[in-house]
Each structure stands twice: as C-alpha cells, then as structure tokens.
Amino acid sequence: MTEKLELNKILKAVASFASLTEAKRALQEAEPQTQMREASYLLDLTSEADLLLYRYGVGNIEAFPDISDEPERAAKGASLSCGELLATAALLRSARIAYRGVRGVADDTIVYMREIADRLYFDEALERDIGEKILSEEEVSDHASEELYNIRSSIRRLNERIRNKLSEYIGGENAKFLQDSIVTMRDNRYVLPVRAEYRSRVRGFVHDRSASGATFFIEPESVLEMNNELRELASAEKEEIERILAALSRRVGNMAGQLREDMARLVELDAAYAKAQYAYKNKCIRPRLNDKGSISIEKGRHPLLDAKTAVPVTVSLGKEYQFLLISGPNTGGKTVTLKMCGLFCLMACCGLFIPAAEGSEVSVFAKVFCDIGDAQSIEENLSTFSSHIKNIIEITEEADGHSLVLIDEPGGGTDPEEGQALAKAVLSYLLKKGCRGIVTTHYSALKEFAYAESGIENASMEFDMTTLRPLYKIRAGVPGSSNAIAISRRLGLSEEILQDALSNLSAGAQRFENIIRTAEQSRLEADESKREADRMRAEWEEKLAEVDAEREKLKRDREKLYASAKIESRRIVNERAGEAEELLKQIEAIAAKNALTEADLIRVRTLKNKIADKAYGMEFESDEPRRLVSADIRALKAGDKVFVGALESEGEIVSVNERKREAEVLVGGLRLNCKAGDLFQAVGGKRRAESPKNKVQVVRRFAPDAGGVQTEINVLGMNVSEAVQEIDAFLDRAVLSGLEEVKIVHGVGTGKLREGIREHLRRHKNVAGFRAGRYGEGEAGVTIVRLQ
C-alpha cells in the first residue's frame, strides 16, 4: 500500500535529512499509526522539533559511528579498541549536546522533546578521558598514564643511543663493509646491511639475508643488549596500553544499558528533526487530525511533483458524503488527487507535515486500501481485469467503517456494460459498510448513480473547453465530461474517424455528455463573470475609499481653518479690548484733575473717537437688547447679515444652497461654507444707528439663544487631543449661551481619556469647577462642568 501511494519515496526523502544511520533506517521503515493518540504524538514531536530548529536555533543531532554490541562486550569484560572507544565518546558527546540543546530552551510548549532529552545519559568525565587518552583509532596518547609516558620516554632515549652507536659503523672505518650507509630493522631490532664478503668482519647476530645473497643483515654485538632492552620496553608499552584500554572499557561496560537507551532516544530525536527539516524545505504545514473519517485539504499539492509547476487542489469528503466520485478528461489530475488524499493521511499518521494550506485536515484510518494502476502479473498469469478484481475482493472483504478506500477506474479492463454494472455494485456495497473513499471513473452510469445515491458526491476535474486543456482543479457537485473525442480532434485524429465515433455513441450517452459539457461551460463562464464583477467591485471600493479619504481630509482642513479663524478673532478681540481699556484709563486720569483745560477736553474727545474706532462685532444699544435664533436657510438670501456660531463673528451671506442646507458666508476676508445649524439671526430690538464721533457708546456682543445650544458633548472613541479640541469649542458656545452647567460624556474605558479631559479642565479659564456624574447621570462615564 505504501508503495502504491508512494509513501516509501516520501520516507526516503525524509531520511536524507537524518544524521544517524539508524535514524535513516527507522524513517524508511516507518509504518503509519492507526490510533489517534500515537499519530498526534508523532505530529507533536515534529512541531516541537520545528520550534527548536527554526525559532530557537537548536542544532541537529551530532552524528556518531554505529555501535551495536560494543557496550555489551565491554560489560562482559572485553577490552574495546581505540576506534570503539572513540565511537562511544562520540555517542556520549551527542547525548550531552542534545540534552543541553533542548533543556536550554525555556518554552512550555516543548513537552515531548524535553521528556526524551531528560532521559538521555551522558558522562562528561569519561567522554573527556577517552578524548584525551585516545588520539586515533590506532594510537594512544603518551599522556594516557604516567607509566606509559615513562616507558615511551625510555624507548625514545634507547632508540637514540642505538642509532648513535650504529652511526659509528656508518661513518667509521667499518663503512666499507656495508652495502648501504643506512640502519634498518629486522624483527623489530636494529641491524646493518653488510656485504656478503665482509660478513666475518662484523661480529654480531645474523637476522636475515637478501634474496641475491649479496647482503647480510647483522645485529652488531655492541647493540645486542640495547636491542634486547628495547624489546622489553616495547612489551611493557603494549601491556600498559592494554591496561589503559581495559580500564576505559570497564567504565563503558558499567553504563552499557544507558548507552543502549541513549542510542534509541537519539534516533527518536534525530527522526523528529529530520521530519521538521523536510517540512521546512517543502513548505509543509501541520494538518488537523481526526478519527472520524473526515478529509479536508486546502490547496494541497502532491509532494513528489515540482512545487513550482504543480497546481494546488482543494478537496474534501467524509462530512456531508462518504465517497467522492471524480470524473473528467484523462491527464486532468484525477489519479494524482486520489493518491494525494491517501498519501496525506499516511504522512500525517507517520508524524509528517503535508504540503497544503493552513486549515487542512486529515483522518486516522485503521486501514487504507488502494487499487491504482495496472497490476498485471505475468508470473501469476493474471490479466489487468483479474488483478483489479483481486484487489476489489480484498477491499470488499476487509474494509469497514474505519477504512479509506481509493479505487482508480473500477470495472476497467473488461466489457464496459459489465464493468460499469460491477463498479456500481461495488460502490453500493462499500457505502453500506460505511467506508470513506475516492473513486475515479469515466462511466456515465456511475455519474448518474452518484446523483441518485446518498452518501456519494460527484466531482469533476475542470477542463478549458476553448483550449481543450485540463485546468487541474477539482469542482465538487457536478460530474466531468471525458472529452475523449474533443481531445482526439485537438491531437489530430481524422475527422472521418471522429464523426464515425460520434455516430456509434448511444443517443442517451450523447445527451448526457452534452448536458455535462454545457453545464461545465456555463459554470466556467459564470465563474469568469463573477471574477470580473469582483474585480470591478474591488476597483470601485478602492475609488470610494479614496473619495472618502479626500472628503475626510477636506473636513479636517475646514476644521483647522475654523479653529485658526477662531483663534485669530479671539486675539483681535483681546487686543482691541486691551487698547480700549488703556484709552479709558487715560480718560479717567484726565477726568481726575481738579481743573480741565481746553487741551484736556480736546484730548478726551480724541480718546473717545479712538474708543469708537475700536468697536467690533454686532453692536446694539444697551437699553434695547437683542437675541439670536437659528437662521431659516430657506429665508436667507445674498446680502443678509448672519452670526457664525463657530467663529463667534458676524458675516454676510454670499449664496445659499438649500439642497445641501449650506450657505457661503463672507466673514472678514474669508469665504466659508457654513452649515445651516451654525448660522443665527438677530431678533427683537433694533440695530444701533451710526454714532456721532463725539459720543461714547456702551456696547456689548450678543449670543445665540441658549435654548438652541447643546448642554452635553459626546467624545467617546476620540483620543485626548481630539476630545480637548471639541470640548474647547463646546465650552465657548456654552459660555456665550449663558449656560451654567454642561455635561461631557467620555466613558469609562482605561481612564486615560477621562483623566486627560479633567486635567485640561483644571486649567481652563471658563471652568469654575467639575465633578463626576452621580447615579442616573452616567457616574464615572461623564464629567459635569460648572462654568464661570
């Protein structure tokens, strides 16, 4: 089954990321879990390995040579070789690094990898001793023990003495007796190559003779004892090395059980890291897992296809229907989709992530059955049909409600009438058994069966009727046409043959295929129209957003203009009021004199005229007060005088737009578009006549009727700076209207807005005091302000 769905190829690809040979073997031999708990555990391990590798930068498992029976042999008293001890040290080092790597990450979501790491055993002292005492697979360090160091020092000194002694032969009178001026060795003893004719002239022990007989290798008497001593030291060195290796081997043997467990745990960690690396390289995600037989794959692609060219497929089954019947043209992706669904389920049950979009879900199945491709066997003398039927028999006998069944082209390889009748019967039987599955077909009878039978749903692989090319997209709910004749025409088959083929089709088959093709074409056109409509809607929404943004900008600009004009008007008022007070002080100073001169009178008249010149706003005689009421936009006309509330200034109507309930007003040198609600007209009393220059007028500004002014403001949703600006304008209008108390609604929230507003009120010149709302007033969500 794993070979038919190509799980073995996926596992081989995953194994290539493993560091340990045993982990590679375990991955390639992995079997999908059939229980939800075990499959979820494997996925959890992969998720945690992904976090360790790619979020926290923990390194992979450090490789070490395979050691199988070495610890057990050491436990039985055998001495390990230098190479075997070095392999053991590498295992201890790998366990130590893996333990510290996982334990060094403070993340509570990493549970299972930490549990495995916590059970790792390592002996840093033994690891260090082996590394210091064993230099290579053949060599022990001089410093492995003090005794070994002394022995090797004695050997080096003795070798030097022997070479010095023999050099006397080479450089002295005896040099003529030698075949070559060199010192060589025979049987681990130093000898000289002496010519055969001078053999008797060099006293010593003959060890060997050349093949030609012209040279004798003689150990001179003068170095005989030294060579004997050298042999004894060599034996002592060998014994000391054996002792050192035996001591290290005993320490290894004492922890044989822990080392065996270490290997198993490191293999488990290495396999998890390999799965995480495979997922990262292939852009895989962790699928949701269930045991209800439900499969929902979003934009999945077969992992063995080229990710750059593979078209993602979205497919689901197991909730609204048990079986999915996929039809459509050849090479349209039916078989790939079928295999992908089965493969994704097996991958997840092996702890592997799948190449799909987030939100994909697969199920754990007790058994997965698959009948794909031509399994004809020459050895067993089975035909194509027979091999398929053999698989179908196994499926119908063993499949149950916890099984996934994947069948490619049931009923093929035999008479079409009998084949589709048999396929329909098999599908009906599997539906009764409660299986989940996917079936591909070209049979019209099966497509009709899927329409009529509950529990099975038609689906089609989309096909471009214009180009006659498959789109590799699946569409549930409608069957697909095989388009065999249309494809054959595109590939160049004779038109005569094609027309003959059409005539051979039954009328019912032709009508059914035509209906399917027409419906598919209509659906594709509808989809294209929908995409165009969506594009246009998105385009208009973007334009509307731009208009809204521009309108909001204009609104902000206008508010800034109003605020600037208001500030400027206040400045002018304050400036002129100050000048008027100064002039009055001068008049009072002159009037305080006991005797006024003609010059003083002229000076007073001049000061009076200056005061008259400083008059501003709409002035009325004090004994005939007037009040302002909201202006009727329908009664206004060009040239009318109005009072603009936002600017607290008088203006003249330039034009009126009744539809928008706006008027263009000339205030000073500014032309403003004002809403009808912000315009007021004076009623009652009469306008002051022009005052003679020699009379001092007592004047005052008037305010809008308090009855038309709001007594509370809502600043919910604003930030502090926005709210303060709105509150300032509100308080100014309230003061002009003669209000004594107003309410500010700001809400409770975090309290930041409330505290910012109250801090501003403490410094406001028109605020006599404020308090929080009482029960029924809004309590902490409002502030009641008392005005001066």
Side-chain angles (χ1 to χ4, degrees):
M1 190 60 58
T2 59
E3 291 182 358
K4 287 185 178 181
L5 293 177
E6 300 175 294
L7 177 65
N8 58 321
K9 295 180 181 179
I10 303 299
L11 293 175
K12 184 177 180 180
V14 175
S16 66
F17 291 98
S19 301
L20 307 178
T21 302
E22 190 60 33
K24 293 178 183 292
R25 184 182 304 113
L27 283 168
Q28 293 189 65
E29 296 173 356
E31 292 290 336
Q33 298 297 318
T34 58
Q35 297 297 321
M36 179 80 169
R37 181 177 179 180
E38 285 75 9
S40 297
Y41 170 75
L42 292 179
L43 286 173
D44 287 338
L45 279 181
T46 306
S47 296
E48 293 180 12
D50 179 77
L51 281 176
L52 291 169
L53 286 174
Y54 300 111
R55 178 180 295 181
Y56 299 110
V58 175
N60 207 341
I61 299 299
E62 187 168 322
F64 56 86
D66 286 341
I67 55 174
S68 52
D69 62 339
E70 287 84 348
E72 283 72 17
R73 287 195 293 108
K76 295 177 181 179
S79 289
L80 302 181
S81 67
C82 293
E84 291 169 337
L85 287 170
L86 287 175
T88 303
L91 168 59
L92 292 171
R93 179 170 58 255
S94 182
R96 172 174 56 82
I97 293 173
Y99 171 82
R100 291 179 177 170
V102 176
R103 293 298 301 179
V105 173
D107 187 337
D108 293 338
T109 63
I110 297 174
V111 178
Y112 300 116
M113 293 287 281
R114 184 175 286 116
E115 287 180 358
I116 298 173
D118 285 345
R119 296 196 300 270
L120 286 173
Y121 174 84
F122 58 93
D123 187 334
E124 199 166 355
L126 177 57
E127 176 194 336
R128 183 177 57 253
D129 284 349
I130 293 175
E132 291 176 352
K133 293 180 179 182
I134 310 298
L135 297 180
S136 68
E137 294 188 357
E138 304 293 337
E139 185 179 2
V140 176
S141 171
D142 292 351
H143 301 282
S145 72
E146 184 177 354
E147 179 66 20
L148 183 60
Y149 179 79
N150 292 334
I151 292 173
R152 287 184 172 174
S153 296
S154 297
I155 290 174
R156 283 191 289 272
R157 288 194 297 270
L158 188 56
N159 280 326
E160 187 64 27
R161 286 171 55 201
I162 294 172
R163 283 193 294 270
N164 290 339
K165 189 66 176 177
L166 293 177
S167 64
E168 296 177 359
Y169 286 90
I170 295 173
E173 295 180 357
N174 295 325
K176 61 184 178 182
F177 304 141
L178 303 180
Q179 191 71 262
D180 296 299
S181 297
I182 60 171
V183 176
T184 185
M185 297 193 76
R186 287 293 186 272
D187 299 329
N188 291 324
R189 300 176 76 90
Y190 287 98
V191 295
L192 294 173
V194 180
R195 294 180 181 179
E197 60 268 27
Y198 298 117
R199 168 189 172 191
S200 60
R201 304 296 295 271
V202 179
R203 297 178 60 82
F205 181 77
V206 177
H207 281 274
D208 198 1
R209 165 180 191 177
S210 68
S212 62
T215 305
F216 284 82
F217 297 94
I218 299 175
E219 179 183 4
E221 289 181 347
S222 58
V223 297
L224 185 62
E225 288 302 323
M226 287 188 286
N227 271 333
N228 289 337
E229 185 179 352
L230 187 62
R231 291 287 293 271
E232 292 174 2
L233 288 173
S235 297
E237 178 190 25
K238 182 179 179 183
E239 292 174 0
E240 180 61 16
I241 290 174
E242 291 175 352
R243 187 193 67 77
I244 292 169
L245 296 180
L248 293 173
S249 299
R250 281 194 298 273
R251 294 171 66 182
V252 171
N254 292 335
M255 61 179 71
Q258 292 95 325
L259 292 177
R260 185 170 54 253
E261 293 177 4
D262 269 3
M263 285 186 284
R265 290 163 188 157
L266 288 172
V267 165
E268 191 172 3
L269 291 175
D270 193 28
Y273 284 135
K275 294 174 185 178
Q277 291 178 79
Y278 174 84
Y280 179 81
K281 181 179 179 182
N282 292 277
K283 296 180 175 61
C284 300
I285 59 98
R286 173 175 179 165
R288 295 199 303 265
L289 203 62
N290 69 78
D291 56 1
K292 307 298 183 184
S294 174
I295 298 174
S296 178
I297 297 171
E298 300 290 333
K299 296 181 179 179
R301 54 180 174 78
H302 197 289
L304 295 180
L305 297 178
D306 187 350
K308 297 179 181 178
T309 58
V311 178
V313 174
T314 297
V315 61
S316 63
L317 67 99
K319 292 182 179 178
E320 298 163 352
Y321 43 85
Q322 298 169 233
F323 267 80
L324 193 64
L325 183 71
I326 304 178
S327 52
N330 289 322
T331 71
K334 300 189 302 296
T335 304
V336 172
T337 300
L338 176 144
K339 294 174 70 174
M340 180 190 72
C341 291
L343 178 61
F344 280 5
C345 291
L346 297 181
M347 288 176 65
C349 291
C350 289
L352 296 173
F353 291 0
I354 63 174
E358 291 290 346
S360 296
E361 183 176 8
V362 295
S363 179
V364 177
F365 292 99
K367 295 179 182 179
V368 176
F369 297 96
C370 185
D371 179 39
I372 299 175
D374 187 355
Q376 182 173 347
S377 171
I378 296 176
E379 291 81 0
E380 297 180 12
N381 196 27
L382 292 176
S383 67
T384 298
F385 176 74
S386 299
S387 63
H388 283 304
I389 287 299
K390 186 177 180 181
N391 291 334
I392 295 298
I393 292 171
E394 178 187 1
I395 292 172
T396 53
E397 288 180 349
E398 299 186 17
D400 55 24
H402 301 288
S403 302
L404 175 66
V405 177
L406 306 170
I407 305 177
D408 188 28
E409 302 289 350
T414 187
D415 177 72
E417 289 292 330
E418 292 186 357
Q420 60 186 355
L422 183 61
K424 188 191 299 185
V426 169
L427 274 177
S428 179
Y429 182 79
L430 293 175
L431 283 170
K432 291 177 183 177
K433 297 194 76 172
C435 304
R436 302 292 190 276
I438 300 177
V439 176
T440 68
T441 189
H442 289 287
Y443 289 147
S444 297
L446 285 186
K447 301 172 191 177
E448 295 172 0
F449 171 77
Y451 269 128
E453 189 74 18
S454 62
I456 184 169
E457 181 67 69
N458 268 306
S460 61
M461 302 305 298
E462 293 191 0
F463 188 76
D464 190 330
M465 297 300 295
T466 303
T467 63
L468 297 179
R469 294 183 183 276
L471 299 177
Y472 305 106
K473 295 180 181 178
I474 192 168
R475 174 72 63 173
V478 292
S481 174
S482 298
N483 292 294
I485 294 177
I487 294 173
S488 299
R489 178 179 285 112
R490 180 176 66 83
L491 295 176
L493 188 62
S494 168
E495 188 64 29
E496 180 182 352
I497 298 175
L498 293 172
Q499 291 302 322
D500 190 23
L502 285 170
S503 67
N504 291 331
L505 286 174
S506 66
Q510 289 188 51
R511 284 196 301 271
F512 187 77
E513 289 296 315
N514 287 333
I515 290 171
I516 291 176
R517 277 195 293 271
T518 303
E520 179 67 8
Q521 183 64 24
S522 299
R523 187 190 60 75
L524 289 174
E525 291 174 356
D527 286 348
E528 180 61 29
S529 299
K530 182 178 182 300
R531 283 193 293 270
E532 180 64 18
D534 290 342
R535 185 192 64 78
M536 294 180 65
R537 183 176 62 183
E539 183 178 325
W540 279 108
E541 287 177 351
E542 183 179 349
K543 290 181 178 179
L544 286 174
E546 292 176 358
V547 171
D548 290 341
E550 184 64 24
R551 183 168 56 187
E552 188 64 25
K553 180 178 180 297
L554 290 173
K555 180 181 177 182
R556 290 195 300 269
D557 290 344
R558 186 177 65 181
E559 290 174 350
K560 289 180 181 178
L561 180 61
Y562 283 168
S564 299
K566 184 176 179 181
I567 293 171
E568 181 62 18
S569 64
R570 287 179 178 174
R571 185 191 65 77
I572 294 172
V573 168
N574 293 334
E575 179 182 310
R576 294 189 178 184
E579 293 174 355
E581 289 178 2
E582 182 62 30
L583 294 173
L584 286 173
K585 286 181 181 179
Q586 295 181 30
I587 294 174
E588 290 173 355
I590 295 173
K593 293 182 179 182
N594 292 328
L596 297 177
T597 65
E598 185 65 26
D600 291 335
L601 293 175
I602 294 173
R603 176 64 177 162
V604 167
R605 290 191 190 99
T606 303
L607 292 175
K608 289 179 181 178
N609 292 334
K610 287 185 178 180
I611 291 176
D613 291 339
K614 301 298 181 183
Y616 59 90
M618 297 178 67
E619 300 174 344
F620 299 87
E621 294 182 11
S622 59
D623 59 349
E624 196 174 353
R626 309 184 78 189
R627 61 188 180 86
L628 292 183
V629 296
S630 296
D632 184 356
I633 193 69
R634 294 172 297 180
L636 291 177
K637 61 183 181 301
D640 287 351
K641 299 294 183 181
V642 292
F643 185 85
V644 181
L647 298 182
E648 300 181 5
S649 300
E650 184 184 25
E652 181 179 330
I653 296 294
V654 177
S655 64
V656 178
N657 188 331
E658 291 187 25
R659 185 176 64 81
K660 293 187 176 180
R661 295 187 60 76
E662 289 182 352
E664 186 178 1
V665 183
L666 180 63
V667 180
L670 298 175
R671 284 179 178 265
L672 304 174
N673 286 327
C674 301
K675 294 292 185 182
D678 201 32
L679 299 177
F680 302 90
Q681 285 183 304
V683 295
K686 63 180 181 179
R687 189 167 180 82
R688 175 178 60 83
E690 286 295 327
S691 302
K693 292 291 183 179
N694 59 349
K695 290 185 179 180
V696 178
Q697 295 290 330
V698 180
V699 299
R700 69 180 179 85
R701 294 191 304 173
F702 61 87
D705 184 9
V709 178
Q710 294 180 341
T711 60
E712 73 175 49
I713 184 171
N714 190 327
V715 294
L716 287 171
M718 300 183 187
N719 58 37
V720 174
S721 61
E722 292 172 342
V724 164
Q725 183 177 346
E726 293 293 328
I727 289 170
D728 279 346
F730 169 69
L731 293 179
D732 288 341
R733 291 193 296 271
V735 170
L736 287 173
S737 302
L739 299 178
E740 294 181 356
E741 190 174 82
V742 293
K743 179 191 292 185
I744 300 174
V745 180
H746 46 63
V748 179
T750 62
K752 182 177 180 181
L753 178 61
R754 179 184 63 224
E755 293 306 318
I757 292 172
R758 292 182 178 178
E759 181 62 29
H760 179 69
L761 293 175
R762 292 187 182 97
R763 302 191 300 269
H764 201 287
K765 64 179 181 180
N766 292 329
V767 175
F770 60 88
R771 62 176 173 81
R774 299 190 182 95
Y775 180 78
E777 292 179 326
E779 302 182 45
V782 303
T783 296
I784 308 299
V785 182
R786 190 172 69 258
L787 301 175
Q788 292 183 346

